[in-house]
Amino acid sequence: MSRYFRSWMDEPMMDSEANLLNEEYARGIVEFMKVARNQPRVLKSGKLKCPCSICRNSRNVAVEIVWHHLYTNGFTPGYKIWYLHGETNYDHGSNSSEPTVSEFVGDRTEVDVGVGTVEMVNDAFREIVQYGSEERDRFEEPNLEAGRFFGMLDAAKQPLYKGCREGHSPLSSATRLMTIKTDHNLSEECVDAITDWAKDLLPEDNLLPASYYEVQKLVAGLGLPYKVIDVCIDNCMLYWREDENRNSYRFCRKPRYQEMSGRVPIPYKRMWYLPITDRLKRLYTSQRTAEPMRWHGDHHQDGDITHPSDAEAWKHFQSLYLDFAYERRNVYLGLYTDGFNPFGKHGRKYSLWPVIVTPYNLPPSLCMRREFLFLSILVPGPDHPKRSLDVFLQPLIYELQMLWEHGAEAYDVSCQQNFNMRAVLMWTISDFPAYGMLSGWTTHGRLSCPYCQDNTDAFQLRNGRKSCWFDCHRRFLPSDHAYRRSRTLFTKSKKVFDAPPPEIDGYTLLEQLRDFGADRTPDCGGNGHEVVYGAGEVHNWHKKSIFWDLPYWKTHLLRHNLDVMHVEKKFFENIMNTVLNVKGKTKDNIKSRLDLADICDRAFLEVQPDGKYIFPLYGLQGDKKREFFNWIRDDVKFTDGYAYLIMEKGNLQE
């Protein structure tokens, strides 16, 4: 039988005949302990990460206990390169088979919409359970957090009054009242009146909260922390961390507080920050989500990309950070932001920017559900943040740095284990204008393509006076493609032999930012950036993005994504406006026809000497346009609410 590197780890650890530890396995344990116990941090603390099949490198325990665990439980399957314990020589030859992870077993997990009160409390706090092979019969005294949990659990199980229907408790009543108050925008006095009236209707021994204050007190333990941070009126800076006690801004010197006669100072502007660490930890304290949070590491790819973990960027990151990838419970995050007007299109001008973070550990059926889209920052209006968005992202970036470098202690209820949870931001998602705000690369002008940069064939239209990228993409085709040699289908009399521009890695981008002198927004104050040298001529950088503060950002294969919905929407609108020849919105106008003569070999579409031009074959007019609208109105079936404007405001004459 062929032998391969540390093959003893794949064989039974016990000798079935002698009922003793296999001799080769015992030598392997001795070999591991020689490597691990001589590391400086182990010599100093006397503890190391236990690699047994129970602890799985998630707990730091005494050296003597590690010996016992390995003799009792064996090694974690697949942990053949002991990189978490100081082994740095990875050149051990190839294995006969790659290490595998256990498949996700069981019915498809779904998150129920209606959650009972007891389940809600279990989501809010972790249970105190025994763990470890030698600690199974020992219980710890409940700490403060566990005491709050047991108090909430008692409140959830205690009946509202003797003989009431099952499921009615003081806590369930309090949460229902809070929901009613929020949904109907009730005042505190109104809730007081409702509780007072309902308490009189119930038996005398009822435990219904008697006021809004008691309702708040009862449900306070379910809440998540949030921070309100004062902001400069011009978005120059945050009053946060070292600047928390300042009374004026470092850059514009404007006052922090409004001139008021009251005792409590009122700042000019505030932002809301909702930390993500506690919400990520709660995903592991819920029985419904703890196991699915490991799905990304358990599932097997069938060749198609059905989840971000199947993509090259994800695998590239894991190949660089093996210690992070090894712990499947570490969290992979994505960030999304976009602005909107909360008052609608016809309300007053206002730009509000939510920043949403979502974990990608979950399976495709769960990871894009609304309950897993975590609002982390609410950038206040009314003005557009523009280049100052990085100022508002500072608390989130700082928390992401802490989650990467130090992690946070979390409890996995499905494994009944404590572990150090770390997190990484994989990429951002936005439309193209917001891409410029997040990346620092201006997304308008001739150099707006962040992939091509200055290696672009874009040009300005002589009559339309807009930047144009027509015929810039033939160089991305295979070298023997017929379109590369065409002189008539694209730019007239032009063949393309150029190769596509090379991909630019993070280290090169950092060198560009350094050489051109691009500044971080928090260092120069909101929108107070000076124009970067050479901007618009040799590059389009306008700032150094705050995401470069993340230590792993420069090694990412993919840092920013475009929201497909926005791209599709813009393309669809322009195509339909052109096909339907909508006045003022169609792209087929006199200027485009004049530019057509300069670029393309389409003489029959050019403007005639009398100033007229033929209507294109793809366009609709007259009866054809009317037939098209009638077809949409009468025959096409849309999802409810998706096409109501066509019925209410559609005007065939326009």
Side-chain angles (χ1 to χ4, degrees):
M1 182 177 66
S2 63
R3 307 295 291 173
Y4 51 88
F5 175 62
R6 288 178 181 157
S7 60
W8 53 268
M9 297 183 71
D10 297 330
E11 298 174 0
M13 59 182 288
M14 300 296 294
D15 187 337
S16 57
E17 296 181 358
N19 198 26
L20 296 173
L21 198 66
N22 186 299
E23 183 178 351
E24 190 176 8
Y25 208 96
R27 288 199 302 268
I29 294 177
V30 173
E31 178 190 358
F32 168 79
M33 294 303 294
K34 284 182 179 179
V35 174
R37 69 189 306 176
N38 290 320
Q39 300 305 309
R41 60 182 178 182
V42 178
L43 294 173
K44 182 178 180 181
S45 65
K47 295 183 178 181
L48 57 89
K49 289 183 179 293
C50 180
C52 77
S53 60
I54 301 298
C55 298
R56 301 180 69 90
N57 288 316
S58 62
R59 298 175 55 204
N60 286 313
V61 299
V63 173
E64 295 76 12
I65 296 178
V66 175
W67 280 102
H68 174 71
H69 280 201
L70 292 177
Y71 274 106
T72 306
N73 307 321
F75 278 90
T76 297
Y79 186 52
K80 296 184 179 181
I81 298 175
W82 302 324
Y83 57 88
L84 293 178
H85 297 86
E87 188 172 53
T88 57
N89 182 14
Y90 294 168
D91 188 15
H92 299 293
S94 60
N95 294 354
S96 63
S97 61
E98 292 293 329
T100 60
V101 294
S102 57
E103 296 183 2
F104 180 74
V105 181
D107 297 334
R108 176 182 170 187
T109 303
E110 296 289 349
V111 178
D112 300 328
V113 177
V115 181
T117 308
V118 176
E119 289 82 357
M120 181 168 57
V121 175
N122 277 290
D123 288 350
F125 299 97
R126 65 173 183 257
E127 296 180 49
I128 303 301
V129 297
Q130 64 273 29
Y131 59 90
S133 59
E134 73 285 348
E135 297 177 345
R136 289 173 183 169
D137 299 326
R138 182 166 66 86
F139 292 89
E140 297 180 347
E141 289 293 325
N143 54 31
L144 178 62
E145 187 179 15
R148 291 174 62 194
F149 165 75
F150 288 124
M152 297 291 288
L153 190 61
D154 290 340
K157 293 181 177 179
Q158 189 175 10
L160 188 61
Y161 59 87
K162 188 176 181 180
C164 73
R165 287 194 303 173
E166 185 179 355
H168 288 292
S169 67
L171 182 60
S172 66
S173 303
T175 54
R176 181 70 183 276
L177 282 168
M178 290 294 287
T179 302
I180 294 173
K181 180 186 184 302
T182 303
D183 290 345
H184 300 282
N185 196 25
L186 303 180
S187 65
E188 296 181 14
E189 292 79 6
C190 183
V191 177
D192 289 339
I194 292 174
T195 55
D196 186 57
W197 173 73
K199 201 168 181 65
D200 288 342
L201 292 178
L202 298 175
E204 291 185 0
D205 60 345
N206 75 82
L207 301 176
L208 183 75
S211 64
Y212 177 69
Y213 172 76
E214 291 188 12
V215 171
Q216 277 188 311
K217 190 175 179 180
L218 192 56
V219 301
L222 293 176
L224 287 163
Y226 69 92
K227 298 178 182 179
V228 181
I229 304 174
D230 295 349
V231 187
C232 169
I233 191 173
D234 292 334
N235 297 342
C236 291
M237 56 169 281
L238 302 181
Y239 286 103
W240 175 67
R241 298 189 68 194
E242 62 270 13
D243 295 323
E244 185 175 0
N245 297 320
R246 295 180 64 95
N247 290 321
S248 62
Y249 304 112
R250 285 190 286 119
F251 302 102
C252 64
R253 304 300 179 185
K254 292 183 179 179
R256 174 178 182 176
Y257 300 109
Q258 303 179 34
E259 295 183 3
M260 305 289 289
S261 58
R263 294 183 178 180
V264 180
I266 300 177
Y268 280 99
K269 184 184 287 189
R270 287 176 170 175
M271 66 163 283
W272 282 260
Y273 176 60
L274 291 76
I276 61 173
T277 301
D278 289 330
R279 285 182 280 180
L280 296 177
K281 289 163 66 175
R282 288 194 181 184
L283 292 174
Y284 285 104
T285 59
S286 169
Q287 288 283 5
R288 295 167 296 128
T289 55
E291 192 170 358
M293 281 293 287
R294 302 193 302 273
W295 180 90
H296 72 96
D298 293 344
H299 86 291
H300 296 282
Q301 185 181 5
D302 58 1
D304 297 326
I305 298 179
T306 59
H307 186 270
S309 61
D310 300 331
E312 184 180 355
W314 189 294
K315 295 176 181 178
H316 172 78
F317 170 82
Q318 290 189 325
S319 69
L320 295 179
Y321 301 98
L322 296 174
D323 57 336
F324 187 94
Y326 182 78
E327 175 54 80
R328 295 171 298 163
R329 292 171 294 196
N330 287 334
V331 185
Y332 298 78
L333 301 170
L335 181 146
Y336 175 83
T337 188
D338 194 13
F340 73 99
N341 187 343
F343 303 104
K345 291 184 178 180
H346 304 291
R348 66 190 182 97
K349 186 178 180 181
Y350 201 98
S351 182
L352 190 67
W353 285 71
V355 179
I356 296 171
V357 175
T358 184
Y360 286 124
N361 295 45
L362 296 163
S365 60
L366 297 180
C367 69
M368 295 309 295
R369 292 180 62 164
R370 186 172 62 180
E371 54 264 40
F372 302 118
L373 302 177
F374 300 149
L375 175 66
S376 60
I377 295 174
L378 196 59
V379 179
D383 298 327
H384 193 291
K386 298 181 181 178
R387 298 180 180 181
S388 64
L389 181 62
D390 284 5
V391 171
F392 298 94
L393 290 175
Q394 288 179 88
L396 177 60
I397 297 298
Y398 178 76
E399 186 176 9
L400 289 171
Q401 288 174 319
M402 295 299 103
L403 283 172
W404 173 260
E405 295 172 3
H406 306 291
E409 184 182 5
Y411 180 74
D412 185 348
V413 68
S414 66
C415 298
Q416 298 184 357
Q417 292 179 355
N418 290 291
F419 70 101
N420 187 46
M421 179 191 71
R422 298 170 64 196
V424 59
L425 180 65
M426 294 297 293
W427 46 63
T428 70
I429 306 173
S430 63
D431 60 9
F432 202 47
Y435 179 107
M437 298 166 61
L438 293 169
S439 68
W441 181 272
T442 302
T443 53
H444 56 80
R446 191 181 70 88
L447 301 178
S448 61
C449 177
Y451 181 83
C452 298
Q453 294 198 348
D454 61 333
N455 187 9
T456 180
D457 293 330
F459 58 95
Q460 190 176 47
L461 296 172
R462 182 166 60 90
N463 296 283
R465 310 302 300 170
K466 291 184 177 181
S467 297
C468 180
W469 286 265
F470 176 74
D471 202 17
C472 288
H473 303 92
R474 273 199 284 173
R475 57 179 174 168
F476 291 91
L477 294 172
S479 58
D480 58 348
H481 200 284
Y483 281 173
R484 280 179 168 267
R485 300 186 299 275
S486 176
R487 292 175 175 268
T488 57
L489 295 178
F490 301 95
T491 303
K492 57 185 178 182
S493 303
K494 178 183 177 182
K495 293 183 179 181
V496 175
F497 301 101
D498 297 339
E503 293 187 27
I504 305 174
D505 60 27
Y507 294 96
T508 304
L509 294 177
L510 279 176
E511 291 178 0
Q512 290 183 8
L513 292 166
R514 180 200 63 198
D515 295 342
F516 293 127
D519 296 322
R520 293 174 67 254
T521 300
D523 296 337
C524 60
N527 294 308
H529 289 274
E530 295 183 359
V531 178
V532 181
Y533 175 79
E537 298 177 2
V538 295
H539 68 86
N540 246 22
W541 294 112
H542 62 263
K543 68 176 182 181
K544 182 180 180 181
S545 172
I546 195 172
F547 291 104
W548 293 107
D549 292 356
L550 299 172
Y552 47 78
W553 199 249
K554 59 181 174 291
T555 62
H556 275 348
L557 203 61
L558 179 65
R559 283 170 285 273
H560 303 282
N561 295 270
L562 291 179
D563 185 354
V564 178
M565 183 272 291
H566 283 87
V567 176
E568 290 179 341
K569 177 177 179 293
K570 294 296 184 183
F571 268 90
F572 177 79
E573 288 177 350
N574 288 327
I575 290 173
M576 293 309 299
N577 287 331
T578 302
V579 170
L580 297 174
N581 197 28
V582 179
K583 187 177 180 180
K585 296 182 179 180
T586 178
K587 300 301 179 182
D588 184 15
N589 50 45
I590 185 66
K591 291 183 179 179
S592 64
R593 293 297 182 102
L594 291 173
D595 288 321
L596 180 70
D598 295 338
I599 304 169
C600 299
D601 186 12
R602 303 283 194 280
F604 63 96
L605 292 176
E606 296 176 8
V607 179
Q608 303 302 317
D610 58 359
K612 297 181 180 181
Y613 52 88
I614 65 170
F615 194 77
L617 293 175
Y618 55 76
L620 298 179
Q621 57 183 341
D623 293 339
K624 290 185 178 180
K625 185 184 293 188
R626 185 176 292 102
E627 183 180 353
F628 173 74
F629 278 113
N630 290 336
W631 171 71
I632 292 179
R633 184 186 62 187
D634 300 332
D635 298 332
V636 180
K637 304 299 181 183
F638 296 96
T639 306
D640 289 346
Y642 273 69
Y644 72 96
L645 289 176
I646 295 178
M647 299 298 294
E648 291 186 2
K649 300 182 180 180
N651 189 332
L652 185 60
Q653 301 302 322
E654 294 182 0

